[in-house]
C-alpha cells in the first residue's frame, strides 16, 4: 500500500484539519467530536445535516456551505459517525426551525442518526437516500444503498431551506428527489482502506464489478472487461428500468468518478450515456461530470439520472457556495 499517511490513526483528523484550513472562508472544524459547520451560522432556517464514513470526499464535508449543508459529520474511513457527533453538530447549527438529517441507507448510519434524533430536544426529521438500483440488499444495507444521488438531494433540499421553508416541506422535497433519482456504478479496481492495508476485494486485470457499492460491496455480477459503450448500456438500462421515464422527460445526468478514473474517461462515459438517454426521447437539461461521491482510490464510475420538474430544476440551479460546488444563477 502506497498512500500519503503519517499515522493511520491520525488520518481523519489531519485530513479534516487540512480541509478546514484550505476553506477557512467557508467552514469551521470541531475536533471533539468531529464535525464541520458553516463559517457563518445561518439563522431562521431548517438546518440541513448529513454525514457518513470518510473516504467518499467531497461527500459530505465538501458540501457544507450556502445552498447545501449546515453541518457534516465525518466518521472514520467507511465507518459511520457516532450519535455524539450528530447530536453536537445539530446543537451547533440549529437555527430555530428544526433539523433535517440526510442519511444514506447503510445500517450503521441509519442506526446512529436515529439514536441522535431521539436525543434531540427540538423538531427533526430524516430523508433516507436509496438511489442505487444495483442490488436490493448488500453488505451494509437492508434495502437499496444511498450513493451519488445523495449529493443531488443535498443540493436541492439545501436550496429550499435557504428560502425559509419549514421542516415538513424540506423533508417532502428530499423524499421526492430521492424517489426520482437512480444510480448504478461499476468498478475496474478495488479500493484500499488505510487501516486494512490491502485491497477490499480481489479483481483481475481483465475483470470488472458491475453494480459495485461505494465501499467496495459486491454488485450484480463479476464479468469480463468490455468496451465503454457496452458497460454504459448496461448501467443506463438498469437506471431506466427503475425510473421508467416517459419520452420528453427532462433529466439531470451525473457521471461520478470513484476517484481514480481520469476526467477524460468520465467525459467519454457522459458522451455514451447521453446518446442512450436521448435515443429514448429524454431531454438532458442539466449535467455534471467529476468526482462527487468517491470510494477512496477505486477506479470506476457511476451514472445517476434524476427526473426533473420545475421545483427540482429551480433548486438545482439556485446559487451554492461550498468547497466542492460553487455557482451563481
Amino acid at each position: 500500500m502506497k498512500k500519503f499517511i503519517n499515522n493511520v490513526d491520525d488520518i481523519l483528523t489531519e485530513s479534516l484539519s487540512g480541509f478546514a484550513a484550505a476553506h477557512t472562508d467557508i467552514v469551521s472544524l470541531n475536533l471533539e467530536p468531529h464535525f464541520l459547520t458553516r463559517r457563518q451560522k445561518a439563522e431562521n432556517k431548517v438546518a440541513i445535516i448529513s454525514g457518513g464514513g470518510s473516504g467518499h470526499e467531497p461527500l459530505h464535508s465538501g458540501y457544507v456551505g450556502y445552498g447545501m449543508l449546515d453541518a457534516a459529520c465525518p466518521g472514520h474511513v467507511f465507518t459511520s459517525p457516532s450519535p455524539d457527533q450528530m447530536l453536537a453538530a445539530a446543537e451547533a447549527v440549529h437555527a430555530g426551525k428544526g433539523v433535517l438529517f440526510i442519511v444514506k441507507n447503510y445500517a450503521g448510519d441509519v442506526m446512529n442518526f436515529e439514536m441522535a434524533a431521539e436525543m434531540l430536544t427540538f423538531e427533526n426529521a430524516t430523508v433516507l437516500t436509496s438511489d442505487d438500483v444495483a442490488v436490493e440488499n448488500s453488505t451494509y444495507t437492508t434495502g437499496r444503498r444511498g450513493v451519488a444521488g445523495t449529493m443531488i438531494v443535498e443540493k436541492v433540499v439545501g436550496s429550499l431551506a435557504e428560502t425559509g421553508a419549514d421542516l415538513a416541506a424540506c423533508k417532502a422535497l428530499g423524499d421526492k428527489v430521492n424517489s426520482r433519482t437512480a444510480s448504478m456504478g461499476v468498478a475496474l479496481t478495488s479500493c484500499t482502506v488505510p487501516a486494512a492495508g490491502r485491497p477490499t476485494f480481489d479483481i483481475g486485470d481483465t475483470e470488472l464489478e458491475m453494480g459495485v457499492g461505494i465501499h467496495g460491496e459486491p454488485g450484480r455480477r463479476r464479468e469480463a472487461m468490455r468496451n465503454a459503450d457496452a458497460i454504459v448500456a448496461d448501467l443506463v438500462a438498469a437506471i431506466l428500468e427503475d425510473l421508467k421515464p416517459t419520452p420528453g422527460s427532462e433529466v439531470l445526468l451525473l457521471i461520478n468518478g470513484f476517484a481514480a478514473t481520469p476526467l477524460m474517461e468520465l467525459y467519454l462515459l457522459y458522451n455514451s450515456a447521453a446518446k442512450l438517454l436521448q435515443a429514448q426521447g429524454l431531454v438532458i437539461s442539466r449535467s455534471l461530470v467529476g468526482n462527487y461521491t468517491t470510494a477512496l482510490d477505486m477506479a470506476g464510475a457511476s451514472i445517476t439520472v434524476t427526473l426533473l420538474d420545475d421545483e427540482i430544476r429551480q433548486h438545482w440551479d439556485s446559487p451554492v457556495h461550498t468547497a466542492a460546488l460553487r455557482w451563481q444563477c
Side-chain angles (χ1 to χ4, degrees):
M1 178 181 75
K2 292 183 180 179
K3 291 183 180 291
F4 292 110
I5 294 174
N6 295 311
N7 185 303
V8 169
D9 293 336
D10 298 331
I11 186 171
L12 178 59
T13 297
E14 292 181 354
S15 177
L16 289 174
S17 296
F19 175 82
H23 302 290
T24 186
D25 58 320
I26 301 174
V27 301
S28 295
L29 172 63
N30 188 88
L31 289 176
E32 294 295 337
H34 290 127
F35 63 87
L36 289 139
T37 63
R38 298 186 188 187
R39 167 63 65 180
Q40 292 187 309
K41 179 180 176 180
E43 299 296 337
N44 195 34
K45 69 178 287 291
V46 173
I48 311 297
I49 300 175
S50 193
S54 296
H56 306 302
E57 291 76 14
L59 196 79
H60 298 272
S61 300
Y63 304 130
V64 173
Y66 180 84
M68 290 191 77
L69 301 178
D70 291 275
C73 303
H76 288 282
V77 174
F78 293 176
T79 303
S80 174
S82 68
D84 288 346
Q85 288 174 258
M86 301 159 189
L87 185 63
E91 291 173 342
V93 301
H94 176 50
K97 299 190 72 169
V99 168
L100 181 66
F101 293 121
I102 298 177
V103 183
K104 302 187 302 300
N105 186 32
Y106 296 95
D109 289 4
V110 172
M111 178 180 68
N112 287 348
F113 271 101
E114 284 179 349
M115 291 175 63
E118 290 171 358
M119 291 186 284
L120 287 177
T121 58
F122 41 81
E123 187 180 18
N124 64 88
T126 297
V127 171
L128 192 65
T129 63
S130 55
D131 53 302
D132 191 350
V133 303
V135 294
E136 184 61 31
N137 297 305
S138 186
T139 309
Y140 299 102
T141 66
T142 299
R144 291 177 13 167
R145 304 177 291 214
V147 288
T150 304
M151 180 272 289
I152 298 171
V153 174
E154 292 176 355
K155 170 64 184 79
V156 173
V157 175
S159 167
L160 179 62
E162 298 292 353
T163 70
D166 65 19
L167 182 60
C170 290
K171 174 175 168 50
L173 181 57
D175 288 338
K176 181 173 82 167
V177 176
N178 181 64
S179 72
R180 296 169 67 93
T181 299
S183 304
M184 188 163 162
V186 59
L188 307 184
T189 69
S190 178
C191 52
T192 299
V193 175
R198 66 175 307 276
T200 300
F201 60 90
D202 296 320
I203 186 168
D205 290 342
T206 60
E207 295 180 314
L208 60 83
E209 182 71 22
M210 180 62 69
V212 72
I214 57 174
H215 307 92
E217 308 98 309
R220 289 189 172 187
R221 60 188 179 273
R222 179 72 56 87
E223 61 183 49
M225 187 67 189
R226 297 176 286 153
N227 67 41
D229 284 347
I231 295 169
V232 171
D234 278 0
L235 297 175
V236 169
I239 288 168
L240 295 183
E241 174 61 26
D242 182 79
L243 291 176
K244 296 180 172 57
T246 57
S249 296
E250 196 175 332
V251 302
L252 182 160
L253 173 59
L254 164 64
I255 305 297
N256 172 66
F258 288 152
T261 297
L263 273 172
M264 175 184 287
E265 295 176 31
L266 296 181
Y267 279 110
L268 186 153
L269 296 178
Y270 181 92
N271 182 60
S272 181
K275 290 178 181 178
L276 292 172
L277 295 178
Q278 290 163 350
Q280 296 297 314
L282 303 179
V283 179
I284 304 168
S285 66
R286 301 294 184 273
S287 57
L288 199 62
V289 179
N291 294 312
Y292 294 99
T293 302
T294 61
L296 287 173
D297 53 352
M298 182 184 288
S302 62
I303 298 176
T304 299
V305 175
T306 298
L307 296 177
L308 297 174
D309 61 13
D310 290 344
E311 182 182 33
I312 297 172
R313 187 192 320 104
Q314 172 193 344
H315 290 295
W316 176 259
D317 288 346
S318 67
V320 60
H321 188 80
T322 70
L325 282 183
R326 300 187 191 190
W327 60 68
Q328 300 293 326
C329 288

